[in-house]
């Protein structure tokens, strides 16, 4: 009788949305205020949040990088749920290129860990972007979703957005701002559902990885 796991380990790979959350320079700071207070006699506490669509862990919608792209509410869910491969790219200098990619066999989703320790409390503009050649190669291998612990798949000063354009050309999906500290390289189940934001150029996402039972 093989032992049955009572539960599979879950890794929460999402940032905490909170005031002080580092955001893209010049973008909307995360704001939170209480609009109904129990201390004022209200039967409940209710809050109000203001934030950029690209706050913390999020999925870009095609509308972000294509003027006529679909919004976050229209994105299909399949790319965001299923088996993925976490790749440790911490040793990569410059940008992740084809030579930095592992051999892939039948994997639809690839997540890149680039930070030794995720910068929760400071904006770091020196992240490791992904080259458009690497994205094209991943698309050729059948990859449908690319995730990163960086705030963008392109460099902060990009004007041509080559990585996003390669994603658009291959109808792939993007997760950015993941927290992959402590996640070993390997295969996991990804569950990362973007908020269904009508007109949204991105969807805030609670992303998790779940261990895959030993075959
Ligand atoms: N908030 C911004 C404001 C202006 C330009 C870029 C951003 C981004 O957040 C980058 C985005 N996460 C991206 O998909 O690359
Ligand atoms: Zn984004
Ligand atoms: Zn992006």
């Amino acid at each position: 009788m093989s032992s049955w796991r009572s539960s599979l380990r879950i890794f929460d790979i999402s940032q905490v949305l909170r005031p002080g959350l580092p955001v893209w320079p010049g973008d909307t700071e995360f704001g939170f205020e209480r609009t109904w207070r129990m201390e004022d006699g209200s039967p409940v506490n209710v809050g109000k949040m203001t934030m950029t669509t690209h706050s913390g862990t999020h999925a870009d919608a095609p509308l972000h990088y294509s003027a006529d792209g679909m919004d976050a509410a229209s994105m299909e869910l399949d790319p965001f749920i299923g088996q993925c491969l976490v790749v440790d790219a911490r040793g990569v200098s410059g940008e992740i290129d084809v030579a930095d990619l592992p051999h892939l066999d039948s994997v639809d989703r690839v997540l890149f860990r680039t930070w030794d320790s995720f910068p929760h409390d400071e904006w770091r503009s020196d992240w490791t972007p992904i080259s458009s050649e690497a994205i094209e190669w991943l698309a050729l291998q059948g990859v449908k979703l690319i995730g990163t612990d960086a705030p963008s798949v392109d460099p902060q000063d990009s004007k041509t957005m080559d990585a996003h354009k390669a994603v658009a050309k291959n109808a792939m999906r993007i997760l950015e701002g993941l927290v992959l500290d402590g996640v070993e390289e390997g295969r996991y189940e990804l569950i990362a559902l973007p908020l269904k934001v009508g007109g949204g150029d991105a969807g805030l996402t609670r992303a998790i990885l779940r261990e895959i039972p030993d075959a």
Side-chain angles (χ1 to χ4, degrees), residues 123-154:
W123 180 262
R124 291 274 303 273
S125 56
D126 59 336
W127 64 78
T128 304
I130 306 171
S131 74
S132 56
E133 293 80 6
I135 290 174
E136 293 283 0
W137 188 88
L138 290 166
L140 272 178
Q141 311 302 312
V143 173
K144 301 281 180 290
L145 176 136
I146 292 173
T148 176
D149 56 4
S152 178
V153 291
D154 276 303

Side-chain angles (χ1 to χ4, degrees), residues 161-196:
M161 304 299 279
D162 296 336
H164 284 87
K165 290 209 170 12
V167 163
K169 181 181 149 208
N170 293 285
M172 300 163 93
R173 293 290 176 258
I174 302 175
L175 285 172
E176 293 167 335
L178 297 170
V179 181
L180 294 171
D181 290 13
V183 177
E184 298 290 318
E185 262 199 342
R187 284 177 178 263
Y188 300 83
E189 181 187 20
L190 171 71
I191 302 171
L193 301 178
L195 281 186
K196 203 170 185 177

